[in-house]
Short mmCIF file of all heavy atoms in Angstrom, two decimals:
data_model
loop_
_atom_site.label_atom_id
_atom_site.label_comp_id
_atom_site.label_asym_id
_atom_site.label_seq_id
_atom_site.Cartn_x
_atom_site.Cartn_y
_atom_site.Cartn_z
N SER A 261 0.82 -1.18 0.03
CA SER A 261 0.06 -0.02 0.00
C SER A 261 0.89 1.20 -0.03
O SER A 261 1.96 1.29 0.68
CB SER A 261 -0.90 0.04 1.28
OG SER A 261 -1.87 -0.98 1.16
N PRO A 262 0.48 2.26 -0.75
CA PRO A 262 1.29 3.49 -0.76
C PRO A 262 1.09 4.26 0.51
O PRO A 262 0.18 4.13 1.30
CB PRO A 262 0.75 4.17 -1.85
CG PRO A 262 -0.75 3.82 -1.96
CD PRO A 262 -0.76 2.38 -1.49
N THR A 263 2.13 5.11 0.77
CA THR A 263 1.96 6.09 1.95
C THR A 263 0.72 7.01 1.56
O THR A 263 0.59 7.39 0.44
CB THR A 263 3.16 6.96 1.96
OG1 THR A 263 4.30 6.19 2.33
CG2 THR A 263 3.05 8.15 3.06
N ARG A 264 -0.13 7.22 2.61
CA ARG A 264 -1.32 8.09 2.40
C ARG A 264 -0.86 9.44 2.77
O ARG A 264 -0.27 9.70 3.79
CB ARG A 264 -2.48 7.48 3.33
CG ARG A 264 -2.82 6.08 3.06
CD ARG A 264 -3.82 5.62 3.95
NE ARG A 264 -3.57 5.50 5.30
CZ ARG A 264 -4.14 4.76 6.21
NH1 ARG A 264 -5.19 4.13 5.98
NH2 ARG A 264 -3.75 4.75 7.50
N VAL A 265 -1.28 10.33 1.88
CA VAL A 265 -1.12 11.75 2.14
C VAL A 265 -2.43 12.59 2.12
O VAL A 265 -3.12 12.29 1.14
CB VAL A 265 -0.10 12.41 1.06
CG1 VAL A 265 0.10 13.91 1.28
CG2 VAL A 265 1.26 11.56 1.06
N VAL A 266 -2.67 13.28 3.04
CA VAL A 266 -4.00 13.94 3.06
C VAL A 266 -3.79 15.50 3.32
O VAL A 266 -2.99 15.83 4.24
CB VAL A 266 -4.90 13.32 4.12
CG1 VAL A 266 -4.39 13.38 5.45
CG2 VAL A 266 -6.32 13.97 3.99
N MET A 267 -4.41 16.23 2.57
CA MET A 267 -4.32 17.76 2.74
C MET A 267 -5.55 18.00 3.80
O MET A 267 -6.61 17.79 3.50
CB MET A 267 -4.61 18.43 1.44
CG MET A 267 -3.61 18.17 0.40
SD MET A 267 -2.03 18.76 0.69
CE MET A 267 -2.32 20.54 0.84
N ASP A 268 -5.09 18.56 4.89
CA ASP A 268 -6.16 18.94 5.88
C ASP A 268 -5.73 20.22 6.49
O ASP A 268 -5.27 20.25 7.73
CB ASP A 268 -6.27 17.88 7.02
CG ASP A 268 -7.50 18.06 7.74
OD1 ASP A 268 -8.34 18.97 7.57
OD2 ASP A 268 -7.63 17.22 8.77
N ARG A 269 -5.88 21.41 5.92
CA ARG A 269 -5.39 22.69 6.27
C ARG A 269 -5.79 22.96 7.69
O ARG A 269 -4.95 23.43 8.59
CB ARG A 269 -5.98 23.71 5.36
CG ARG A 269 -5.50 25.13 5.68
CD ARG A 269 -6.11 26.08 4.70
NE ARG A 269 -5.55 27.42 4.83
CZ ARG A 269 -5.67 28.42 4.04
NH1 ARG A 269 -6.40 28.21 2.94
NH2 ARG A 269 -5.18 29.61 4.26
N LYS A 270 -7.05 22.77 8.12
CA LYS A 270 -7.53 23.12 9.44
C LYS A 270 -7.83 21.96 10.35
O LYS A 270 -8.48 22.11 11.41
CB LYS A 270 -8.81 23.94 9.26
CG LYS A 270 -8.54 25.25 8.52
CD LYS A 270 -9.89 26.11 8.29
CE LYS A 270 -9.54 27.34 7.61
NZ LYS A 270 -10.71 28.10 7.28
N LEU A 271 -7.26 20.81 9.94
CA LEU A 271 -7.44 19.58 10.84
C LEU A 271 -8.92 19.30 11.10
O LEU A 271 -9.34 19.10 12.25
CB LEU A 271 -6.57 19.71 12.13
CG LEU A 271 -5.06 19.77 11.99
CD1 LEU A 271 -4.37 20.11 13.24
CD2 LEU A 271 -4.51 18.59 11.19
N ARG A 272 -9.70 19.21 10.01
CA ARG A 272 -11.10 19.01 10.07
C ARG A 272 -11.48 17.52 10.02
O ARG A 272 -12.67 17.18 10.29
CB ARG A 272 -11.90 19.77 9.09
CG ARG A 272 -11.79 21.22 9.23
CD ARG A 272 -12.73 21.96 8.11
NE ARG A 272 -12.56 21.56 6.73
CZ ARG A 272 -13.40 21.01 5.88
NH1 ARG A 272 -14.55 20.77 6.31
NH2 ARG A 272 -13.14 20.77 4.74
N ILE A 273 -10.59 16.67 9.49
CA ILE A 273 -10.91 15.25 9.40
C ILE A 273 -11.11 14.60 10.78
O ILE A 273 -10.32 14.66 11.71
CB ILE A 273 -9.84 14.45 8.66
CG1 ILE A 273 -9.66 15.14 7.27
CG2 ILE A 273 -10.14 13.00 8.50
CD1 ILE A 273 -8.44 14.72 6.54
N PRO A 274 -12.33 13.93 10.90
CA PRO A 274 -12.47 13.26 12.31
C PRO A 274 -11.39 12.31 12.65
O PRO A 274 -10.84 11.55 11.87
CB PRO A 274 -13.86 12.54 12.10
CG PRO A 274 -14.52 13.20 10.89
CD PRO A 274 -13.33 13.70 9.93
N GLU A 275 -11.17 12.25 13.90
CA GLU A 275 -10.08 11.28 14.50
C GLU A 275 -10.38 9.88 14.29
O GLU A 275 -9.35 9.13 14.21
CB GLU A 275 -9.83 11.67 15.92
CG GLU A 275 -9.24 13.07 16.14
CD GLU A 275 -8.92 13.30 17.53
OE1 GLU A 275 -8.81 12.42 18.34
OE2 GLU A 275 -8.87 14.58 17.94
N ASP A 276 -11.56 9.52 14.13
CA ASP A 276 -11.95 8.10 13.88
C ASP A 276 -11.92 7.69 12.44
O ASP A 276 -12.38 6.55 12.08
CB ASP A 276 -13.31 7.74 14.54
CG ASP A 276 -14.39 8.46 13.97
OD1 ASP A 276 -14.29 9.42 13.12
OD2 ASP A 276 -15.63 8.07 14.13
N SER A 277 -11.39 8.54 11.54
CA SER A 277 -11.30 8.19 10.18
C SER A 277 -10.27 7.04 9.80
O SER A 277 -9.33 6.88 10.55
CB SER A 277 -10.88 9.41 9.28
OG SER A 277 -11.83 10.53 9.41
N ALA A 278 -10.58 6.31 8.84
CA ALA A 278 -9.76 5.13 8.43
C ALA A 278 -8.32 5.67 8.13
O ALA A 278 -7.42 4.92 8.42
CB ALA A 278 -10.25 4.55 7.13
N LEU A 279 -8.15 6.87 7.66
CA LEU A 279 -6.81 7.46 7.31
C LEU A 279 -5.92 7.48 8.63
O LEU A 279 -4.73 7.53 8.47
CB LEU A 279 -6.91 8.80 6.75
CG LEU A 279 -7.50 8.91 5.32
CD1 LEU A 279 -7.73 10.30 4.96
CD2 LEU A 279 -6.56 8.14 4.34
N PHE A 280 -6.59 7.55 9.72
CA PHE A 280 -5.84 7.69 11.05
C PHE A 280 -5.74 6.36 11.85
O PHE A 280 -5.37 6.42 12.92
CB PHE A 280 -6.48 8.77 11.98
CG PHE A 280 -6.49 10.08 11.29
CD1 PHE A 280 -7.59 11.05 11.57
CD2 PHE A 280 -5.53 10.58 10.47
CE1 PHE A 280 -7.66 12.30 11.08
CE2 PHE A 280 -5.57 11.81 9.85
CZ PHE A 280 -6.62 12.70 10.21
N ASP A 281 -5.95 5.31 11.19
CA ASP A 281 -5.83 4.02 11.84
C ASP A 281 -4.42 3.49 12.13
O ASP A 281 -4.21 2.52 12.67
CB ASP A 281 -6.68 2.87 11.12
CG ASP A 281 -6.15 2.52 9.68
OD1 ASP A 281 -4.96 3.00 9.39
OD2 ASP A 281 -6.76 1.70 9.08
N GLU A 282 -3.53 4.21 11.56
CA GLU A 282 -1.98 3.93 11.69
C GLU A 282 -1.58 2.58 11.08
O GLU A 282 -0.45 2.11 11.39
CB GLU A 282 -1.58 4.04 13.09
CG GLU A 282 -1.81 5.45 13.62
CD GLU A 282 -0.88 5.88 14.80
OE1 GLU A 282 0.31 5.45 14.82
OE2 GLU A 282 -1.40 6.45 15.81
N SER A 283 -2.43 1.99 10.26
CA SER A 283 -2.08 0.71 9.58
C SER A 283 -1.07 0.93 8.52
O SER A 283 -0.36 -0.03 8.12
CB SER A 283 -3.26 0.00 9.14
OG SER A 283 -3.91 0.75 8.02
N ILE A 284 -1.10 2.12 7.91
CA ILE A 284 -0.15 2.53 6.85
C ILE A 284 0.36 3.91 7.12
O ILE A 284 -0.36 4.71 7.68
CB ILE A 284 -0.99 2.66 5.56
CG1 ILE A 284 -1.70 1.35 5.18
CG2 ILE A 284 -0.13 3.08 4.27
CD1 ILE A 284 -2.72 1.46 4.00
N LYS A 285 1.61 4.19 6.76
CA LYS A 285 2.22 5.52 6.95
C LYS A 285 1.27 6.47 6.39
O LYS A 285 0.91 6.31 5.19
CB LYS A 285 3.56 5.51 6.42
CG LYS A 285 4.18 6.88 6.58
CD LYS A 285 5.62 6.82 6.02
CE LYS A 285 6.34 8.19 6.30
NZ LYS A 285 7.65 8.23 5.63
N THR A 286 0.89 7.54 7.12
CA THR A 286 0.01 8.62 6.58
C THR A 286 0.66 9.90 7.00
O THR A 286 0.98 10.13 8.12
CB THR A 286 -1.39 8.49 7.32
OG1 THR A 286 -1.94 7.15 7.02
CG2 THR A 286 -2.34 9.51 6.85
N ILE A 287 0.72 10.79 6.01
CA ILE A 287 1.29 12.18 6.16
C ILE A 287 0.11 13.11 6.07
O ILE A 287 -0.64 13.16 5.00
CB ILE A 287 2.40 12.52 5.19
CG1 ILE A 287 3.54 11.53 5.34
CG2 ILE A 287 2.77 13.97 5.38
CD1 ILE A 287 4.57 11.62 4.22
N VAL A 288 -0.17 13.90 7.09
CA VAL A 288 -1.21 14.91 7.11
C VAL A 288 -0.56 16.31 6.85
O VAL A 288 0.28 16.70 7.71
CB VAL A 288 -2.06 14.96 8.38
CG1 VAL A 288 -3.07 16.04 8.39
CG2 VAL A 288 -2.61 13.65 8.73
N ILE A 289 -0.86 16.88 5.74
CA ILE A 289 -0.18 18.20 5.42
C ILE A 289 -1.39 19.19 5.85
O ILE A 289 -2.43 19.27 5.39
CB ILE A 289 0.08 18.37 3.91
CG1 ILE A 289 1.10 17.32 3.57
CG2 ILE A 289 0.46 19.81 3.52
CD1 ILE A 289 1.56 17.31 2.07
N CYS A 290 -0.89 20.01 6.84
CA CYS A 290 -1.90 20.91 7.48
C CYS A 290 -1.34 22.38 7.63
O CYS A 290 -0.09 22.54 7.39
CB CYS A 290 -2.20 20.38 8.95
SG CYS A 290 -0.84 20.06 9.98
N GLY A 291 -2.16 23.28 7.89
CA GLY A 291 -1.70 24.66 8.07
C GLY A 291 -1.74 25.17 9.48
O GLY A 291 -1.21 26.16 9.83
N THR A 292 -2.49 24.51 10.30
CA THR A 292 -2.75 24.94 11.72
C THR A 292 -1.86 24.10 12.52
O THR A 292 -1.28 23.07 12.11
CB THR A 292 -4.11 24.78 12.12
OG1 THR A 292 -4.57 23.43 12.01
CG2 THR A 292 -5.08 25.66 11.31
N SER A 293 -1.55 24.49 13.81
CA SER A 293 -0.71 23.82 14.63
C SER A 293 -1.21 22.33 14.81
O SER A 293 -2.35 22.08 15.09
CB SER A 293 -0.64 24.46 16.04
OG SER A 293 0.15 23.70 16.84
N SER A 294 -0.21 21.46 14.70
CA SER A 294 -0.58 20.01 14.84
C SER A 294 -0.26 19.54 16.29
O SER A 294 -0.13 18.33 16.64
CB SER A 294 0.18 19.13 13.86
OG SER A 294 1.56 19.33 14.05
N GLU A 295 -0.03 20.49 17.29
CA GLU A 295 0.31 20.09 18.65
C GLU A 295 -0.72 19.25 19.29
O GLU A 295 -0.47 18.42 20.18
CB GLU A 295 0.47 21.38 19.46
CG GLU A 295 1.76 22.13 19.05
CD GLU A 295 1.98 23.45 19.74
OE1 GLU A 295 1.22 23.67 20.74
OE2 GLU A 295 2.76 24.25 19.34
#
């Protein structure tokens, strides 16, 4: 499976999304603080 990359400027994607299951490397490109 490829690395998943998701554009999420304001971190609006729900935390229970499949993209966040950590089964595959996922890079979230965001514009707000990711702290």
Side-chain angles (χ1 to χ4, degrees):
S261 290
T263 297
R264 303 179 292 198
V265 181
V266 61
M267 300 293 298
D268 191 8
R269 181 179 187 169
K270 298 180 181 177
L271 298 174
R272 294 189 303 118
I273 300 171
E275 291 181 23
D276 65 347
S277 295
L279 291 171
F280 298 150
D281 67 5
E282 299 201 43
S283 64
I284 303 168
K285 182 177 179 183
T286 303
I287 300 171
V288 180
I289 298 178
C290 55
T292 60
S293 176
S294 59
E295 292 174 12

